[in-house]
Amino acid sequence: MKNFKANGLPLLIGSLPMESHEKATKLVLEYTPDIPLWVQLPLYREEGMVPQFLPGLPGFTNGSDKNLLDTSKPEFNEEFLAFFEEYISITESGADLCTSRFALSGARGKGFFEFLKQIDEKKSPCIALKGQVTGPITFGTAVKDENNKDIFYNDQLKDAAIKKLALNARWQAHEFSKRGAVPIIFIDEPALAGFGTSAYITITKEDVVQSIEEIILEIHAENGLAGVHVCANTEWDMLLGSGLDIISFDAFSFFDRFILYPERIKAYLDQKKILAWGIVPTGKKEVIAEQTTQGLIQLLHAQMDELADKTGIDKETIISQSFITPSCGTGSLDLDSAKTVLRLTREVSAAFRQR
């Protein structure tokens, strides 16, 4: 995977504001045929960032509309033991990951399986296939126990959650590898935008990195590339120094914060790793409507020039190690705005690949 080149290709972030998984997947393949992704449709609650990955965890009750793991259930200890027995059977004894609790299924897996169906029907091969799991900090601070305490502060539940996300990421990478494409799995971590604030005061950089590294190891076990996506700003040094292969950041709104780490970025790029530049805004409908392809191209060129100047890395190398992306998913937008984001992403990418 060290030889993989992003070469300014377009890449999307998870969600779309649509009802049909079939139509959403076709839209993705239309705009990003080289590296498409499976789509989450937030219209369906079970495809939300947290509910999608809850089933299979000890303490989960199917049918509940809460993001809850209940350790007071009489059967919790039995569930907890069964969870870790299955985890060990896969990681140490080679049991089938595809039929395990760590795979998506049912209503929560519709987008993934529709994606595989259309990929299998596609006449031309893909360079890579992209999937995503919710990051351990975002997941662990959104799911509660029966006392309304974040499970990230419960060592038992935190450990189970990280292992569930890690093996789900590995399962996705395994399915993509079977199709002859490079697996790219993003760890979506919107909560890291709040890292260092009072809401996360007891979570350390070591907590963040260790949690994410466990997921990275499982992705790498399937020869996949592990990425992270943070919607806004964070303390980028902890991610730049990790085992991540791809860092996705909001270049449109937060490049001035990201560039505060030029030495770390240089060391990161020197390892042949990749930056995903979220140059197309996704926040507000009116801001999206104001954008032009040429304006975004000029903005991105200016940002890459500044990065080249501050790191000493030539611009052609930077482009070869860059994806062009929206700043975030488009699931909260209207469909016309979402399609505008997809079009702008494709057009800006095309300009950087025609150099």
Side-chain angles (χ1 to χ4, degrees):
M1 294 301 101
K2 290 292 184 186
N3 298 321
F4 183 88
K5 293 289 186 185
N7 288 329
L9 282 164
L11 198 67
L12 299 179
I13 309 296
S15 58
L16 280 169
M18 299 177 71
E19 295 181 23
S20 165
H21 293 91
E22 180 184 2
K23 290 178 180 177
T25 304
K26 285 180 178 177
L27 193 66
V28 166
L29 287 167
E30 176 187 347
Y31 283 94
T32 54
D34 293 315
I35 310 181
L37 55 65
W38 67 272
V39 185
Q40 294 160 307
L41 304 184
L43 175 70
Y44 303 105
R45 184 187 180 277
E46 60 268 25
E47 293 187 34
M49 287 186 72
V50 176
Q52 192 158 44
F53 299 101
L54 272 174
L57 282 167
F60 173 71
T61 302
N62 205 12
S64 170
D65 61 354
K66 296 179 180 179
N67 298 327
L68 173 69
L69 297 181
D70 187 353
T71 67
S72 68
K73 290 170 61 177
E75 61 271 33
F76 175 78
N77 288 337
E78 185 180 331
E79 289 180 5
F80 189 80
L81 181 62
F83 176 91
F84 275 91
E85 284 178 343
E86 188 169 3
Y87 173 82
I88 290 168
S89 74
I90 289 166
T91 55
E92 296 184 10
S93 304
D96 187 6
L97 181 58
C98 299
T99 58
S100 74
R101 71 177 71 213
F102 301 101
L104 290 172
S105 62
R108 297 169 204 258
K110 284 183 179 178
F112 187 85
F113 290 105
E114 177 61 34
F115 179 63
L116 294 186
K117 175 177 175 287
Q118 292 194 33
I119 292 299
D120 291 343
E121 293 169 350
K122 193 171 179 279
K123 292 181 171 64
S124 55
C126 297
I127 295 170
L129 298 174
K130 178 179 179 285
Q132 57 274 328
V133 294
T134 303
I137 311 302
T138 299
F139 190 85
T141 55
V143 181
K144 312 293 183 186
D145 66 12
E146 69 278 9
N147 297 314
N148 204 36
K149 181 181 177 182
D150 296 352
I151 65 163
F152 198 84
Y153 305 107
N154 177 313
D155 288 343
Q156 266 192 323
L157 295 178
K158 177 177 78 168
D159 190 33
I162 293 170
K163 285 174 166 53
K164 174 82 185 330
L165 296 167
L167 283 195
N168 183 272
R170 181 171 183 168
W171 167 72
Q172 292 183 46
H174 179 73
E175 289 293 332
F176 297 163
S177 290
K178 288 196 298 189
R179 287 156 173 83
V182 174
I184 295 175
I185 310 297
F186 267 35
I187 301 163
D188 290 336
E189 277 288 21
L192 284 186
F195 180 77
T197 66
S198 58
Y200 302 100
I201 197 70
T202 59
I203 298 178
T204 66
K205 287 186 179 182
E206 290 73 22
D207 290 331
V208 174
V209 173
Q210 286 174 10
S211 301
I212 289 176
E213 289 283 3
E214 189 166 342
I215 300 176
I216 293 170
L217 285 172
E218 297 296 345
I219 297 168
H220 285 172
E222 297 291 337
N223 294 315
L225 294 170
V228 72
H229 170 70
V230 182
C231 310
N233 187 46
T234 192
E235 294 187 26
W236 294 106
D237 56 329
M238 64 182 169
L239 299 178
L240 288 162
S242 73
L244 288 160
D245 306 293
I246 307 166
I247 289 180
S248 168
F249 69 103
D250 182 347
F252 183 84
S253 298
F254 292 98
F255 175 75
D256 61 330
R257 309 287 182 84
F258 186 73
I259 198 63
L260 295 175
Y261 303 89
E263 297 87 1
R264 288 296 186 103
I265 298 170
K266 181 183 189 310
Y268 175 85
L269 291 174
D270 283 346
Q271 297 174 68
K272 311 298 182 189
K273 295 184 176 187
I274 296 167
L275 295 177
W277 300 71
I279 198 65
V280 181
T282 58
K284 295 182 179 178
K285 176 181 179 178
E286 55 270 24
V287 175
I288 295 167
E290 292 170 355
Q291 305 309 311
T292 65
T293 301
Q294 194 55 42
L296 293 174
I297 291 168
Q298 289 173 353
L299 177 60
L300 187 51
H301 271 302
Q303 292 179 355
M304 288 186 173
D305 286 340
E306 184 176 348
L307 182 61
D309 181 59
K310 290 188 174 179
T311 61
I313 300 174
D314 70 88
K315 192 171 173 183
E316 291 304 318
T317 298
I318 291 172
I319 293 172
S320 75
Q321 292 174 232
S322 294
F323 285 123
I324 311 301
T325 78
S327 61
C328 201
T330 59
S332 61
L333 298 170
D334 62 276
L335 185 54
D336 285 342
S337 296
K339 287 181 176 178
T340 298
V341 169
L342 268 58
R343 175 183 60 78
L344 288 168
T345 302
R346 180 175 65 182
E347 290 174 357
V348 172
S349 167
F352 278 80
R353 284 182 288 143
Q354 289 167 2
R355 289 169 56 78

